[in-house]
Amino acid sequence: MNVEKFLQLPITKDFTVIAGHNGLNKAVQNVEILDFEFSPDIHHVRDTIFTPNSVVLSSLLFAKQKPEYLFNAVKNLIELGASALAYKPVIFKELPEEVLSYACSIISLYCALVEMSFLKKSF
């Protein structure tokens, strides 16, 4: 499966690609959660926690107090071979300009940046 097909699944069909359209053909082998790994006091697991060809899901909570952490997190995910970063816009309604600029230039060659949106469903 690739990122484009992943984004066509019923659970992800309402996600929006905001950068990295060239990365839509990247393979997806795993889905992983980014929670604390890019907090400044965590170093020992960062380089091994994410596997190549992963879609990484996050609320970006780790950067709530320090938005500048986002840039390094995105850069590190690319270096680790992530296929996509999908974030839920609860902490950041809009990503910082530095991250968006990087996403539109460098990241677009290697990885898709996706905003997750979830529609309320009535049961």
Side-chain angles (χ1 to χ4, degrees):
M1 176 179 285
N2 63 18
V3 175
E4 184 174 27
K5 297 271 189 225
F6 176 81
L7 295 174
Q8 293 171 358
L9 296 172
I11 192 82
T12 59
K13 67 181 176 56
D14 294 319
F15 288 18
T16 304
V17 177
I18 61 168
H21 288 84
N22 291 336
L24 293 176
N25 62 347
K26 286 202 66 173
V28 172
Q29 295 175 332
N30 302 298
V31 176
E32 299 174 312
I33 306 279
L34 167 58
D35 182 22
F36 61 86
E37 292 81 5
F38 291 106
S39 295
D41 54 337
I42 306 293
H43 295 286
H44 63 284
V45 296
R46 185 175 303 152
D47 294 336
T48 58
I49 196 75
F50 298 106
T51 55
N53 300 321
S54 293
V55 172
V56 179
L57 307 176
S58 183
S59 67
L60 306 177
L61 180 62
F62 70 93
K64 181 176 183 177
Q65 302 301 322
K66 301 259 185 186
E68 59 271 18
Y69 292 169
L70 288 178
F71 182 80
N72 283 332
V74 169
K75 187 176 176 188
N76 286 327
L77 286 171
I78 291 170
E79 291 169 1
L80 293 169
S83 295
L85 169 60
Y87 72 95
K88 194 171 186 180
V90 292
I91 303 299
F92 295 93
K93 301 293 183 211
E94 293 184 14
L95 294 178
E97 185 57 40
E98 177 186 35
V99 173
L100 287 175
S101 294
Y102 184 73
C104 290
S105 59
I106 302 300
I107 194 174
S108 66
L109 301 173
Y110 303 102
C111 179
L113 186 58
V114 179
E115 182 178 295
M116 294 186 273
S117 56
F118 295 94
L119 301 176
K120 289 185 178 181
K121 297 181 180 180
S122 55
F123 294 95

